[in-house]
Structures are given as structure tokens and as C-alpha cells.
Amino acid sequence: GAYFIVNGTERILVLVEEIAQNRIIATKVDGGNISEIARIHSEKDGYVQRHLLERRIDGTITTSFANITRLPVGVLLKALGLENDKDLISTISTDEAVQEEFYINLYTTSAVNKDEGLDEIGKHLKIPQQEYRTERAIKIVDRYLLPHLGQDPTNRLAKAMFLAKAIEKIIKLNLGKIEEDDLDHYSNKRLRLSGDLLEILLRSILLGKWGLITRVT
């Protein structure tokens, strides 16, 4: 099923191991100023966008995805519509110990509403023009943040809820309330076999040709 002759040459496809898509995988980190991380591989239509949440020893949590690096989660949650601090805290968790650990992240942003949150994302990307800054931030949040939950402005609250659960998980891991996920366990992995790999290759070729046709027309 994975052996081919291409132009007279023997070719084989080797299976690929990947982290399970659309799941929150939380693990501890030994050494450095990062204590816990959570990985999320968000997949939509064969495209995988990798997300990383990092909790520092001082309790601050940052997120990285697309071309955004270590953005404070408080900024992102405000941009997604969790404008009220009380609602934001209760969305993270109903556990008071978890809430206490998260409080420091409220001071990592000066944004009080979603518009200011989007503007801070634009500043984090070092975009000088305010209009283009907000436009770029909206595009990244809607298109590249957790695309498996949707790529429309109406999906922002669902994305905020998903991020809140990821934040709760790494804080609970830090507090010893849960065990870390085993990256080597096959429940946290997916295997891409020959059919999957050929599907990805065919989709990329078709999308490339479709994009070329669109540009020409």
C-alpha cells in the first residue's frame, strides 16, 4: 500500500507520527523559566496550525501561533470578547485556587475591551499604522487562531472558551491537581499512513493549481 515505482525508481511512503489534532496536551518543563506548556494542533481541511501556551514560573501565561510569539493570554482573551474581568476569571475556572493563580495575567494587558485587545495584538506584531494594525490582528485571530473551531468572527467566543480550558489545564498541572499528558502514549498521537499522506499531497497540488487559475483569471 505504500510501495511505488516512479520513473523506474523504487519509492516508499513511511508513516508519520503526529500529536493528536484539536486536543490540549499539557506537560511539565524541566529547567528554565517555563514550568508548564500546553500544545494544541488545530486542524481544518488538512491544514494544521500549531499553538503553544507557556506558563512561566512567575505565573504569567503566553501563547504563540502563526507569526505571533509569546503574546500574553490576557490580551488575546480580551480581543476575543471576554471584556469583563470577573467573567474572564469565571470562564477560566470555578476552582478558586486556579483563579488565584491566574490573577497575575490580568495585569499583563491594559486593554479593557476587544477593540483595545486587537490593537495590542497589532502592536505586538510591531505594525505602526493603527488601521492596518487592527485589520491585521482581526485576520490573524479569525483565520489562524484555532481554525478547527471556525474562521468567522462569530466563532471568537468558542475560541475564548477553548483557550480558557487550556489555561485551566496547565494551571491545574502546576498545582498538582492533574497528571501531565504522556506524549509517547498513542492516545495522544495520530499516525498518518500512505493514504493520508497522498491525500495531503493531492490537496496541496489542487489548491496550488486553483490559486494559479484564480490569479490568471
Side-chain angles (χ1 to χ4, degrees):
Y3 176 83
F4 306 91
I5 302 295
V6 181
N7 294 331
T9 304
E10 296 177 347
R11 301 290 186 186
I12 63 170
L13 287 174
V14 181
L15 64 84
V16 176
E17 287 187 359
E18 294 183 348
I19 293 177
Q21 291 82 24
N22 308 332
R23 296 184 61 182
I24 303 166
I25 310 295
T27 56
K28 285 185 171 293
V29 178
D30 295 327
N33 60 351
I34 305 296
S35 56
E36 292 83 26
I37 62 173
R39 297 178 176 89
I40 305 167
H41 286 195
S42 178
E43 181 183 24
K44 181 178 176 63
D45 299 331
Y47 168 75
V48 177
Q49 178 66 63
R50 292 171 173 80
H51 300 67
L52 181 67
L53 277 78
E54 297 175 306
R55 182 187 181 278
R56 295 178 179 272
I57 295 174
D58 62 4
T60 57
I61 302 172
T62 60
T63 181
S64 303
F65 66 98
N67 59 344
I68 291 180
T69 304
R70 292 183 174 173
L71 174 74
V73 292
V75 176
L76 187 55
L77 291 172
K78 291 285 186 179
L80 290 172
L82 294 180
E83 300 176 324
N84 183 281
D85 288 347
K86 183 178 179 180
D87 292 340
L88 193 155
I89 289 291
S90 61
T91 300
I92 296 294
S93 179
T94 56
D95 187 325
E96 290 186 0
V98 175
Q99 292 178 351
E100 287 287 341
E101 286 293 320
F102 182 77
Y103 278 135
I104 189 173
N105 291 278
L106 296 178
Y107 302 100
T108 58
T109 175
S110 59
V112 297
N113 55 47
K114 61 183 179 182
D115 292 330
E116 292 183 4
L118 290 168
D119 188 61
E120 276 202 40
I121 293 175
K123 290 178 180 177
H124 188 81
L125 292 168
K126 296 180 172 59
I127 300 174
Q129 301 88 354
Q130 184 173 4
E131 291 184 5
Y132 180 69
R133 189 162 61 208
T134 302
E135 180 184 341
R136 177 64 175 162
I138 290 173
K139 181 179 179 180
I140 288 178
V141 167
D142 291 338
R143 184 174 299 180
Y144 300 108
L145 175 64
L146 301 172
H148 75 280
L149 296 177
Q151 295 176 301
D152 191 81
T154 57
N155 303 124
R156 291 178 189 173
L157 184 57
K159 294 179 180 183
M161 299 290 286
F162 193 94
L163 281 174
K165 295 303 107 182
I167 293 167
E168 180 186 35
K169 188 169 184 176
I170 58 176
I171 292 177
K172 281 187 173 181
L173 178 60
N174 174 263
L175 295 173
K177 292 178 176 287
I178 61 172
E179 296 292 328
E180 66 177 325
D181 295 307
D182 184 359
L183 284 174
D184 294 324
H185 197 285
Y186 274 96
S187 65
N188 295 322
K189 289 184 177 181
R190 294 295 181 268
L191 298 179
R192 291 195 179 275
L193 305 180
S194 57
D196 301 307
L197 297 173
L198 287 172
E199 178 189 355
I200 294 170
L201 179 61
L202 178 61
R203 181 184 287 114
S204 65
I205 292 172
L206 290 176
L207 289 176
K209 287 186 175 180
W210 176 255
L212 178 61
I213 292 171
T214 303
R215 287 194 296 271
V216 171
T217 55

